Amino acid sequence: TGPSRVVYLDTNCSVHSCEIHGSTSTGVSVGTYSNVSDCNIYNCGGYGIICSSGLSLVWGNFLKNGDNLFTTAIHGPGTTRDNIIYISGASNGINCSGDACAVRGNTIVSAGGSGYGIGFTTAARLNRNVENNYIEGFSDSGSGIDFNALIENGTVYRNNAF
């Protein structure tokens, strides 16, 4: 079952090349100006990676559901790029919350799940950029990009494949 958060760090921190698995809650939680890179995070419930505030970078990670399913593999504002995410069930891939979210070059594959690949939880935010992502395998009740909480204020969608 593991602790509620396996790795919990404040601002200006880096988590690099770690393997994190087997928790019923969050794998990695970081604050402002932090980065999570080249990690293998799997079999965690809750979030795989959560950034509690902006200006964080999440890149080059591998995240996969196991017996414990992510609520959301990656959650928070900041830049999320070049991650590979395999999910199932009601798990979500990437959830953008806050201003200045950049989601680029991610691969998100679902085993027929009912969640979403990329979603937005806060409406009326500025400067969101979603481009060059590959999203596959969501069921009819799931979606590649969930626009429900999105108001078009400078959001760019370019070259995404479904």
Side-chain angles (χ1 to χ4, degrees):
T1 55
S4 63
R5 292 176 275 199
V6 177
V7 177
Y8 177 58
L9 301 170
D10 204 354
T11 61
N12 299 305
C13 294
S14 181
V15 179
H16 181 71
S17 295
C18 294
E19 182 162 330
I20 298 165
H21 61 91
S23 173
T24 56
S25 192
T26 296
V28 177
S29 177
V30 295
T32 306
Y33 307 113
S34 295
N35 97 59
V36 181
S37 61
D38 296 323
C39 292
N40 185 3
I41 301 170
Y42 59 95
N43 195 25
C44 292
Y47 299 108
I49 300 169
I50 184 170
C51 301
S52 60
S53 55
L55 304 174
S56 293
L57 173 61
V58 177
W59 61 280
N61 300 288
F62 178 82
L63 296 98
K64 184 176 182 180
N65 276 345
D67 292 334
N68 297 313
L69 303 181
F70 296 122
T71 302
T72 299
I74 301 172
H75 175 81
T79 300
T80 303
R81 66 179 180 86
D82 304 322
N83 297 284
I84 298 172
I85 300 169
Y86 287 96
I87 53 179
S88 58
S91 295
N92 301 312
I94 298 170
N95 188 347
C96 301
S97 64
D99 293 328
C101 291
V103 181
R104 296 185 182 117
N106 298 284
T107 298
I108 305 166
V109 177
S110 176
S114 60
Y116 54 77
I118 299 171
F120 303 91
T121 56
T122 309
R125 295 296 186 159
L126 303 172
N127 301 319
R128 289 180 169 168
N129 186 302
V130 178
E131 62 183 329
N132 299 326
N133 298 286
Y134 179 78
I135 303 166
E136 172 187 304
F138 288 87
S139 70
D140 291 340
S141 60
S143 63
I145 297 179
D146 179 7
F147 298 101
N148 289 331
L150 182 66
I151 296 174
E152 296 292 335
N153 289 323
T155 301
V156 177
Y157 305 97
R158 196 174 20 234
N159 302 325
N160 296 287
F162 301 94

